[in-house]
Amino acid sequence: MMHVTFLDHSGFLVELPGLTLLFDWWKGDLPPLPAGPLLVFASHRHPDHFDPRIFALDDGQRDVRFLLGKGIRLTDRNREKWGLSEKAAADCRVLSGGESAFPLPGVTVEALPSTDEGVAFLVTAEGRTVFHAGDLNWWHWEGEDPGWNRNMEVDFRRYAEPLRGRKIDLAMLPLDPRLGEDGFRGPRYFLELADIRRFLPMHQWGNFNFTNQFLSCYTFFTSRTVCVNRAGQVFTLGEEADT
């Protein structure tokens, strides 16, 4: 079983039986954390994905490790500004696309390059695989230079390729309404590329009806899509995800 709390925007708390994963928390109320190890992820430095207050979670009450995307710089100046203790700094690992980390026994974290900044995270733990795309998305902007949009498509397909055919129990993917119907390109490609059992939309800027617009065009994704409609929403995803 996985218990998932949508915190806001692209922030999620994923609770496995013996491990908790916190992704891109910067907004929304964080519920009480269960006992046991905590892995804290920040995909990149944009303020709608990264808030230095995450480092305060390393309060000595549990085993906390931080997995940070490239571009989040742990310089002396930043460490002082963020109030980052020596212990918390020692528990940080900054990943570039193509790198992997093994923060705890039986846990693998793979970082994929992003089409914006930082990385996406693919986490395998306790027999489950969880993907948080960060800002890895097919960013096709109406009115943008056609060459830029073509390069974006090429990069997105290349960066997403390691997911081809992978079984992913839960994928948190951008479904950004600012792009209009072009915002459907990224999640559609991910859902066709990988064996994604459950898809949680994110990066919707509060426009949760955009999921319904996506599903009205791609009804065959309905059974795999878990609709988000408010911050703080809690989901329980069980063994039915394997059917």
Side-chain angles (χ1 to χ4, degrees):
M1 301 286 286
M2 288 188 288
H3 296 282
V4 183
T5 303
F6 171 63
L7 302 172
D8 210 327
H9 195 60
S10 297
F12 294 87
L13 185 72
V14 179
E15 299 175 50
L16 301 172
L19 176 67
T20 302
L21 314 174
L22 177 60
F23 293 97
D24 283 16
W25 176 50
W26 67 283
K27 187 180 182 182
D29 295 328
L30 191 65
L33 296 173
L38 171 66
L39 298 183
V40 181
F41 298 84
S43 61
H44 61 290
R45 63 182 179 175
H46 288 167
D48 64 322
H49 290 262
F50 169 65
D51 189 320
R53 63 180 167 156
I54 61 174
F55 298 122
L57 295 171
D58 194 1
D59 59 3
Q61 301 300 309
R62 58 180 55 81
D63 185 1
V64 182
R65 312 292 173 92
F66 299 92
L67 289 305
L68 311 175
K70 179 182 177 182
I72 299 176
R73 302 181 61 202
L74 300 178
T75 62
D76 289 342
R77 180 180 179 182
N78 281 344
R79 286 175 55 185
E80 181 178 359
K81 180 173 64 174
W82 297 339
L84 185 58
S85 69
E86 289 188 14
K87 179 184 183 305
D91 291 331
C92 290
R93 172 75 187 275
V94 178
L95 295 174
S96 298
E99 293 186 326
S100 296
F102 309 91
L104 294 168
V107 179
T108 301
V109 177
E110 302 169 60
L112 277 63
S114 175
T115 44
D116 194 343
E117 289 202 26
V119 299
F121 293 110
L122 185 69
V123 184
T124 304
E126 299 187 3
R128 295 288 185 176
T129 300
V130 176
F131 178 66
H132 188 284
D135 269 359
L136 172 57
N137 191 27
W138 186 336
W139 299 106
H140 185 102
W141 296 97
E142 183 67 29
E144 182 60 79
D145 178 78
W148 188 95
N149 278 331
R150 283 195 297 271
N151 288 337
M152 172 60 61
E153 176 183 356
V154 170
D155 287 344
F156 172 73
R157 290 175 182 268
R158 178 161 54 96
Y159 296 163
E161 186 61 25
L163 301 180
R164 181 174 296 277
R166 293 283 295 267
K167 175 190 169 184
I168 299 174
D169 296 285
L170 172 63
M172 292 154 278
L173 310 174
L175 185 58
D176 195 315
R178 299 175 301 170
L179 297 165
E181 290 192 2
D182 288 321
F184 301 163
R185 293 172 182 251
R188 181 190 69 207
Y189 190 83
F190 278 126
L191 288 162
E192 292 173 346
L193 181 72
D195 179 13
I196 294 172
R197 305 304 175 91
R198 290 290 182 269
F199 157 46
L200 267 170
M202 65 181 189
H203 217 273
Q204 295 189 282
W205 302 98
N207 183 2
F208 301 120
N209 188 55
F210 197 58
T211 301
N212 297 325
Q213 296 176 43
F214 172 72
L215 294 177
S216 70
C217 293
Y218 302 101
T219 56
F220 41 87
F221 294 141
T222 300
S223 64
R224 291 194 272 164
T225 302
V226 181
C227 294
V228 173
N229 56 46
R230 60 179 173 82
Q233 192 171 356
V234 179
F235 309 92
T236 299
L237 307 179
E239 295 301 323
E240 71 276 3
D242 291 330
T243 63

